[in-house]
Amino acid sequence: MSIKVMIPTPLRVYAGKRDSADIAAATVGEALGRLTSEFDELRKHLFTEDGKLRAFVNVYLNDEDIRYLAKENTPTKDGDTISIIPSIAGGTSKNAD
Amino acid sequence: MSEILEIGISAELAAKIGEHGVETYPYECCGALLGRDPSFTEKDDSEAKGHGPSREILDLFPLVNRRDDSPRNRFSVTGEDVREAEKSASAQGLEVVGWYHSHPDHPARPSEYDRDHAWPWYSYIIVSVRAGVAQDMTSWRLKDDRSGFSEEKIDSVKVGAAV
């Protein structure tokens, strides 16, 4: 079973300049795990040190945000596409939220 | 290894970023930087990552700050907004090469919060707006190891005729 993971432009440099990777996986979490095993440098930009998906990193399975599905346990099927899209956030240092 | 980073933006577009910051003052403004990065149009690996010719900003995609709880010192752009910015860039044959935001009454330097919410490669332009007047503008890229930002030189002359 193969699913396509689209690599966002800023992270392609850590994935051999590829814009996508075909990965065999049964869930979104497994796909991201295999992707970051294959391209280790990607990991720190997608996951925190304790292995959680960074809050500003959004993952879509065929245009559906996985937060509204089963998150990283969302099952995948042959031909699915996973997109990784950042939220952009920032601001000054005072009054951290 | 240090490298010289550079970003080209016309004086007109740079002024528009400042104007956006003034318009939303005392709240933060934000938007996407649409442009080209020649190091990514070449498929071969002859250039080391992060190196190569400087990137150019050719258009802006102003966005609405989604943070209504603390808009004076935070901005937020949703994944959907990012997709819209990418579509707009793609329609013009461009890419989203970075993001801009303002720091009302604060220096144009990235905060720890900025670092936590950044990816490498993108250019992050910050404009300081003090007492409603746009002042310094700086641009930054997150280091590969996420340890901090490298400042990049803003070349506001280079792109003048390219829009």
Side-chain angles (χ1 to χ4, degrees), chain A residues 9-11 13-14 17 41 44-45 54 56 60 63 85-97, chain B residues 28 39 49 67 73-77 80 82-83 95 99 103 106 111 113-114 116 119-120 122 144 146:
Chain A
T9 305
L11 302 186
V13 73
Y14 308 110
K17 286 200 171 183
E41 283 189 85
K44 60 180 172 290
H45 303 301
R54 289 186 180 276
F56 73 94
Y60 295 83
D63 290 336
I85 310 278
S87 299
I88 306 299
T92 54
S93 293
K94 66 173 187 179
N95 300 334
D97 60 345
Chain B
E28 294 203 4
S39 68
K49 61 187 179 185
R67 285 292 293 259
N73 68 328
R74 289 284 182 267
F75 81 91
S76 174
V77 172
E80 294 306 317
V82 172
R83 292 179 127 191
E95 285 221 63
W99 306 90
H103 278 182
H106 276 74
S111 64
Y113 188 84
D114 289 330
D116 279 345
W119 269 350
Y122 280 141
D144 281 341
R146 306 190 63 83

Side-chain angles (χ1 to χ4, degrees), chain A residues 34-72:
Chain A
R34 291 196 172 164
L35 178 74
T36 51
S37 294
E38 187 175 350
F39 302 108
D40 189 50
E41 283 189 85
L42 276 177
R43 192 188 316 270
K44 60 180 172 290
H45 303 301
L46 298 180
F47 296 99
T48 59
E49 282 176 13
D50 55 0
K52 290 188 179 143
L53 204 58
R54 289 186 180 276
F56 73 94
V57 174
N58 307 290
V59 177
Y60 295 83
L61 178 67
N62 303 327
D63 290 336
E64 287 280 333
D65 189 333
I66 64 164
R67 287 191 187 95
Y68 304 111
L69 300 171
K71 300 183 179 171
E72 287 165 81

